[in-house]
Amino acid sequence: MLVSVRDTDWAGVRLHVVTGKGGTGKTTVAAALALALASNGKPVLLMEVEGRQGIAQLFDVPPLPYEERRVAVAPAADGRPGGDVFALAVDPQSALIEYLEMFYNLRQAGRALTRFGVMDFATTIAPGLSDVLLTGKAAEATRRKVKGSPVYGAVVMDAPPTGRISRFLNVSSEVSGLAKVGPIRSHADTVQKVIRSGQTAVHFVTLLEEMPVQETLDGIADLKEIGRGGIQAGAIIVNMMRQGWSELDDGTDAARDTQELEVALKAVGLGDDPKLAVDLAAELADETRTERTQSARRRQLDKAGQPVYELPLISDGIDLAALYRLAEALREQGAA
Ligand SMILES: Nc1ncnc2c1ncn2[C@@H]1O[C@H](COP(=O)(O)OP(=O)(O)OP(=O)(O)O)[C@@H](O)[C@H]1O
Ligand SMILES: [Mg+2]
């Protein structure tokens, strides 16, 4: 029997890295994307690397230990039950202990190093080492197999912000001064193979504001320039879109609007205050200006040549129902 394959923009991508300017909604969008991908039926791992416990807060569960925990079940889709979403908060120290154990059976040594504060020392003098451990964990989860089949259908990383993402992902060059040969080097090379392959895509979350848009465009350019074929840029996700802004007509004219408003206000019995129509017309003109600038920014984003998805501003706050809504919006637009 033929199994129908869903037509998505990211066939073959298994590691989804979500970045963006601070506060634009990276954590929220990463979680929504994880739910969207898990709707395909397979479990998905949602990882955070900044030690802020943003995922636990979002899903309203206790702080995540260094252990993969189920936090949600994706909505059913295409007549198939949704897969589980697991979450993991990765920190460099736990990743190093795990790494030492995996490669050298050295859990005890890792523990001792932690006890004597060596781990802080190692990860502080060599920030590249801490990055390679975090991206290494993502690569490991992406490649992990049981009886020949992948454990996770996809891995989604709530990654550092745009300003740090290229450096964070470009771990191979970061550790080169640190370890030219040996296990850390070859570990870094394996991680780079995953990150620079078609299996990885870096998505950018933005708002239609000047700085986040500029950072998105710069970030996409940086990924291409990273060398050795670059790292694949993914989608641009315009978050917190106000509904209906694009429907407002372009030809707003304050004088005409004031007249029309005066008539309309009289008709509903609010015609006594002459200032009201003027104020409302000014507000409308202001809105229109903002909307024009936003359309221009939207066109700038389109020119980057990546798929662009839009997510609505959800006014009553982000709970699981809101995340489901955002996940569905991402699926409809081709993200999963
Ligand atoms: N589509 C949306 N509608 C309404 N509120 C949203 C939406 N997306 C995100 N938010 C809210 O915006 C705030 C910032 O979101 P989030 O924490 O996901 O951003 P972030 O980019 O991860 O931030 P940080 O840089 O601090 O990690 C949160 O309060 C979140 O609930
Ligand atoms: Mg966040």
Side-chain angles (χ1 to χ4, degrees), residues 123-280:
T123 49
T124 313
I125 56 155
L129 172 63
S130 129
D131 288 351
V132 81
L133 291 165
L134 300 175
T135 50
K137 183 64 194 172
E140 181 273 314
T142 305
R143 288 153 46 107
R144 194 186 309 158
K145 287 186 175 162
V146 167
K147 292 189 187 134
S149 51
V151 170
Y152 291 112
V155 175
V156 179
M157 188 201 276
D158 176 9
T162 0
R164 286 195 283 125
I165 193 68
S166 304
R167 201 166 162 189
F168 177 72
L169 294 174
N170 196 15
V171 285
S172 187
S173 73
E174 287 291 310
V175 292
S176 59
L178 186 77
K180 289 221 168 3
V181 289
I184 297 263
R185 172 86 242 178
S186 70
H187 178 63
D189 288 344
T190 315
V191 175
Q192 280 301 301
K193 262 188 216 135
V194 176
I195 287 177
R196 289 166 181 273
S197 74
Q199 281 189 65
T200 299
V202 182
H203 306 296
F204 290 79
V205 182
T206 187
L207 309 176
L208 290 180
E209 287 170 9
E210 190 177 349
M211 288 299 290
V213 166
Q214 195 53 52
E215 286 194 15
T216 298
L217 299 173
D218 292 347
I220 291 172
D222 283 354
L223 289 183
K224 288 184 181 141
E225 279 166 18
I226 224 162
R228 288 199 287 141
I231 295 176
Q232 177 174 216
I236 297 172
I237 299 145
V238 184
N239 192 23
M240 306 194 217
M241 293 273 297
R242 282 169 204 284
Q243 295 303 292
W245 64 272
S246 53
E247 287 151 29
L248 273 178
D249 89 75
D250 242 13
T252 305
D253 159 336
R256 191 199 61 202
D257 289 342
T258 310
Q259 276 180 2
E260 275 182 25
L261 277 165
E262 274 169 3
V263 175
L265 289 171
K266 278 210 182 87
V268 296
L270 287 171
D272 297 339
D273 181 0
K275 223 178 135 280
L276 187 59
V278 177
D279 287 352
L280 282 174

Side-chain angles (χ1 to χ4, degrees), residues 26-27 52 54 158:
K26 290 180 297 296
T27 303
R52 307 236 315 260
D158 176 9

